[in-house]
């Protein structure tokens, strides 16, 4: 593994352009809709040539200084978002930095027409009056005549002739409309790639499934990465929810790759990872907390470090996953719980509770007329589970109305139904809310227990808590994924029968 350098740039904080030309060939950097740019890479070269159909195409190549033509290296094909360019994708991603570190080649083509890829299904039923300045490109009905797709294939062949490319390690990645084109390439020509990654909006479901829910696919399996920004949103006029389209895109590749429906879950900061192991190829699904449409500037490092670095397509067409730079493993300690469920996520699986998790409001009563205010709302879990999860000894007393827990460090805790006090050895401390008794089980605030005794990080999203031993920020689509595991509806088998 080599080195790379993040160059200082001149910020243009007043920029409001979608793709400011002032970036090109300069040290200007911008923060456009949350999509930070890099300083324009000096090694990025532009090429224009007639590749096919008697039409000129433009693309950009990045060859790191460490490239050694005597050694086979991977090829990354990066596809820009709508109204952008190949050079724009180079500066709005960190692929060139990863290439500096790893020594591989990057290819960034321009869409042939109007900076818009010839994607299927994007503008079906689209009302041009809703966006009169948006250029629209309709693809040919015959997919074999799709110029953009054929151009990408021709460029890959050109790169193999020009450079020492490892044909078993060709990867494709795109953002937004580039993500949709990446999906098109994967479904029709996936056999030439080892892996595909995309960020931003998912694919239209009618391009993935028939009306009866059968899969539409011509190329078979490959390693897949899907990044889904939490606040990506959907274009107007859709008859499905963002939760539905995200999960059905994920399930499509889970079925193609024959993945285990239970993933390893890992949350690092704002990145909510679900790592799926497949019989034919693996899949990584990432929900990015508080992220708008686009891609984060570190995503290329994530794609490579967690998935592509260990992925290869063999001559017989099989995909193998060797040891990647970062292991695709779930959090060593994590608890996810939500009210109304009699299961929690623990030890990377759904674990049953003896009674359902309960959301409880702590009330402040005041005044002679019985007024009240809510001073806090807390998710309560059975002490029988909390003791087990945190390595304590559990003892129920008085038919479950009192509980004694001995922690691993010797502290002795005592709880009693209806009391907000917790006895800790020879003293007492007030909890967030009183202990509750349900189905013979005593429940207390899981957040208070984890924070007070073990200094854990507790992240909340919607009505779910995620408790772990490191910085983690639970995101909405991960909540939806975990709840599907709780209800054993991971594959949404009845989705097309609704």
């Amino acid at each position: 593994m080599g080195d790379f350098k993040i160059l200082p740039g001149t910020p243009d904080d007043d920029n409001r352009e979608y793709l400011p030309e002032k970036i090109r060939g300069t040290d200007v950097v911008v923060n456009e809709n949350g999509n930070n740019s890099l300083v324009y890479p000096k090694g990025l070269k532009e090429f224009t040539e007639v590749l096919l159909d008697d039409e000129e195409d433009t693309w950009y190549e990045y060859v790191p200084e460490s490239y050694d033509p005597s050694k086979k290296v991977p090829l990354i094909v990066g596809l820009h978002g709508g109204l952008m360019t190949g050079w724009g994708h180079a500066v709005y991603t960190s692929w060139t930095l990863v290439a500096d570190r790893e020594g591989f080649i990057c290819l960034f083509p321009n869409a042939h027409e109007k900076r818009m890829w010839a994607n299927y299904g994007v503008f079906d039923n689209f009302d041009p009056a809703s966006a009169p300045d948006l250029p629209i490109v309709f693809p040919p009905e015959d997919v074999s005549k799709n110029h953009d797709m054929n151009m990408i294939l021709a460029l890959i062949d050109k790169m193999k002739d020009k450079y020492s490319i490892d044909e078993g390690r060709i990867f494709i990645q795109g953002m937004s409309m580039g993500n949709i084109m990446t999906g098109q390439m994967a479904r029709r020509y996936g056999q030439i790639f080892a892996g595909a990654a995309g960020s931003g909006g998912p694919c239209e479901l009618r391009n993935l499934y028939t009306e009866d829910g059968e899969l539409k696919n011509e190329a078979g399996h490959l390693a897949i990465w899907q990044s889904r920004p939490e606040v990506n949103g959907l274009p107007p006029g859709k008859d499905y929810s963002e939760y539905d389209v995200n999960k059905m895109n994920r399930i499509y590749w889970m079925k193609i790759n024959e993945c285990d429906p239970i993933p390893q879950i890992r949350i690092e900061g704002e990145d909510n990872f679900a790592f799926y192991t497949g019989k034919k190829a693996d899949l990584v699904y990432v929900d990015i907390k508080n992220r708008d449409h686009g891609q984060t500037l570190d995503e290329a490092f994530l794609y490579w470090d967690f998935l592509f670095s260990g992925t290869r397509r063999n001559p017989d067409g099989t995909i193998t996953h060797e040891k990647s730079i970062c292991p695709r493993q779930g959090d060593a300690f994590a608890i996810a719980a939500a009210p109304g469920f009699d299961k929690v996520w623990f030890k990377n699986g759904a674990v049953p509770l003896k009674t359902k998790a309960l959301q409880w409001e702590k009330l402040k009563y005041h005044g002679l007329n019985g007024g009240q205010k809510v001073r806090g709302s807390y998710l309560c879990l059975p002490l029988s589970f909390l003791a087990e999860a945190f390595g304590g000894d559990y003892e129920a007393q008085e038919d479950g109305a009192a509980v004694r827990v001995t922690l691993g460090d010797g502290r002795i805790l005592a709880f009693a139904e209806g009391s907000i006090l917790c006895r800790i050895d020879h003293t007492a401390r007030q909890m967030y809310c009183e202990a509750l008794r349900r189905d013979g089980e005593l429940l207390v605030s899981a957040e208070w227990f984890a924070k007070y005794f073990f200094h854990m990080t507790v992240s909340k999203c919607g009505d779910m808590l995620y408790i772990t031993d490191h910085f983690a920020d639970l995101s909405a689509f991960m909540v939806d994924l975990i709840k599907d595991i709780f209800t054993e509806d991971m594959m949404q088998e009845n989705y097309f029968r609704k």
Side-chain angles (χ1 to χ4, degrees):
M1 184 183 298
D3 200 2
F4 68 94
K5 186 176 182 179
I6 302 173
L7 298 175
T10 301
D12 181 10
D13 295 332
D14 295 328
N15 167 67
R16 292 297 180 270
E17 298 177 44
Y18 183 63
L19 180 61
E21 289 290 329
K22 66 182 68 176
I23 291 177
R24 189 168 180 167
T26 73
D27 72 343
V28 171
V29 292
V30 300
N31 178 6
E32 179 272 312
N33 192 31
N35 297 317
N36 295 78
S37 73
L38 299 172
V39 171
Y40 197 92
K42 291 182 179 180
L44 190 66
K45 304 299 183 184
E46 179 182 289
F47 297 86
T48 299
E49 187 179 315
V50 175
L51 297 168
L52 67 158
D53 300 334
D54 294 324
E55 307 245 10
E56 279 194 341
D57 282 296
T58 298
W59 69 92
Y60 300 81
E61 299 172 15
Y62 185 79
V63 182
E65 292 181 3
S66 63
Y67 168 66
D68 181 354
S70 69
K71 299 177 181 177
K72 295 283 188 179
V73 299
L75 173 67
I76 300 295
V77 182
L79 305 183
H80 63 78
L83 300 177
M84 296 191 76
T85 62
W87 71 259
H89 197 70
V91 300
Y92 280 115
T93 68
S94 49
W95 275 125
T96 59
L97 298 183
V98 186
D100 286 341
R101 190 188 73 181
E102 300 292 333
F104 57 63
I105 306 294
C106 294
L107 166 67
F108 304 105
N110 280 0
H112 181 70
E113 231 185 312
K114 303 176 184 176
R115 297 186 174 185
M116 302 285 277
W117 297 104
N119 286 325
Y120 293 93
V122 173
F123 293 112
D124 293 356
N125 305 318
F126 177 76
D127 179 10
S130 65
D133 298 326
L134 183 67
I136 297 176
V137 174
F138 291 104
E141 185 174 340
D142 184 350
V143 68
S144 69
K145 296 180 180 179
N146 187 306
H147 180 90
D148 281 340
M149 298 177 76
N150 291 332
M151 171 193 64
I152 293 168
L153 296 175
L155 282 172
I156 291 172
D157 286 340
K158 190 174 186 68
M159 296 302 101
K160 290 191 291 187
D161 290 339
K162 188 173 181 179
Y163 302 108
S164 182
I165 300 298
D166 184 343
E167 294 191 31
R169 305 199 69 205
I170 299 174
F171 303 94
I172 188 168
Q173 180 269 327
M175 190 278 289
S176 190
M177 285 193 75
N179 175 30
I180 298 173
M181 177 56 77
T182 294
Q184 284 182 195
M185 295 296 294
R187 296 191 302 276
R188 183 170 176 83
Y189 301 112
Q191 68 276 4
I192 72 171
F193 301 103
S199 185
C203 179
E204 293 279 354
L205 297 186
R206 59 181 171 272
N207 288 337
L208 305 180
Y209 301 91
T210 68
E211 291 184 358
D212 296 327
E214 299 299 318
L215 305 182
K216 295 181 178 181
N217 187 280
E218 298 177 61
H221 59 278
L222 71 165
I224 293 292
W225 182 293
Q226 295 180 337
S227 290
R228 297 293 179 243
E230 184 189 42
V231 288
N232 185 76
L234 286 176
K238 301 303 178 184
D239 58 358
Y240 46 73
S241 74
E242 193 172 4
Y243 291 91
D244 284 346
V245 71
N246 283 348
K247 73 175 65 179
M248 296 310 296
N249 268 255
R250 180 179 72 245
I251 290 168
Y252 173 87
W253 284 108
M254 288 172 65
K255 290 183 175 181
I256 295 291
N257 289 349
E258 298 183 12
C259 291
D260 188 319
I262 304 293
Q264 294 266 314
I265 292 176
R266 173 175 181 163
I267 303 181
E268 292 185 357
E270 294 181 325
D271 295 323
N272 288 233
F273 298 96
F275 300 120
Y276 290 89
T277 300
K279 292 179 181 178
K280 293 185 175 180
D282 290 353
L283 179 149
V284 180
Y285 177 85
V286 186
D287 179 19
I288 309 170
K289 181 71 176 179
N290 196 34
R291 172 68 203 188
D292 292 282
H293 182 70
Q295 59 198 352
T296 60
L297 195 52
D298 65 350
E299 277 192 49
F301 281 95
L302 298 180
Y303 304 144
W304 188 264
D305 291 351
F306 280 99
L307 185 61
F308 290 171
S309 62
T311 298
R312 169 177 293 280
R313 183 177 287 278
N314 301 308
D316 64 359
T318 59
I319 298 288
T320 52
H321 294 286
E322 301 170 359
K323 185 177 180 180
S324 55
I325 294 172
C326 294
R328 291 189 296 281
Q329 296 175 348
D331 285 329
F333 182 92
I335 298 168
F341 291 96
D342 60 0
K343 296 177 183 175
V344 293
W345 180 260
F346 182 59
K347 293 183 178 179
N348 275 285
V351 174
L353 298 173
K354 293 181 179 179
T355 189
K356 292 179 180 179
L358 176 67
Q359 195 74 28
W360 188 253
E361 292 184 343
K362 180 172 69 175
L363 300 179
K364 164 70 175 179
Y365 296 95
H366 61 99
L368 297 177
N369 296 320
Q372 65 185 40
K373 290 183 179 180
V374 176
R375 291 302 192 194
S377 183
Y378 306 104
L379 183 67
C380 297
L381 294 179
L383 279 163
S384 57
F385 167 74
L386 292 172
E388 175 189 356
F390 288 95
D393 293 327
Y394 170 85
E395 180 187 352
Q397 302 169 339
E398 300 182 36
D399 294 327
V403 164
R404 175 187 171 110
V405 175
T406 303
L407 300 181
D409 60 7
R411 286 177 292 177
I412 299 175
L413 318 179
F415 305 85
E417 180 181 5
S419 178
I420 202 168
L421 287 180
C422 169
R423 177 177 172 177
I424 308 170
D425 293 330
H426 301 293
T427 188
R429 292 292 182 268
Q430 179 165 302
M431 299 183 289
Y432 284 165
C433 63
E434 65 269 30
L436 310 169
R437 192 182 183 200
R438 299 290 187 273
D439 300 322
E441 291 284 319
L442 208 59
L443 299 86
V444 300
S445 163
E447 180 180 359
W448 181 85
F449 191 95
K451 285 180 175 179
Y452 192 88
F453 294 117
F454 298 96
H455 312 292
M456 290 280 177
T457 293
V458 180
S459 177
K460 303 176 186 178
C461 183
D463 60 357
M464 183 172 282
L465 290 185
Y466 192 84
I467 301 169
T468 191
D469 56 5
H470 59 271
F471 169 43
D473 209 345
L474 181 65
S475 194
F477 298 126
M478 183 57 70
V479 171
D480 185 61
L481 187 156
I482 294 172
K483 287 184 176 181
D484 282 347
I485 294 174
F486 288 170
T487 60
E488 299 182 358
D489 197 17
M490 295 83 75
M491 302 300 287
Q492 300 289 303
E493 296 295 350
N494 294 319
Y495 180 83
F496 291 97
R497 302 189 188 99
K498 292 178 181 178

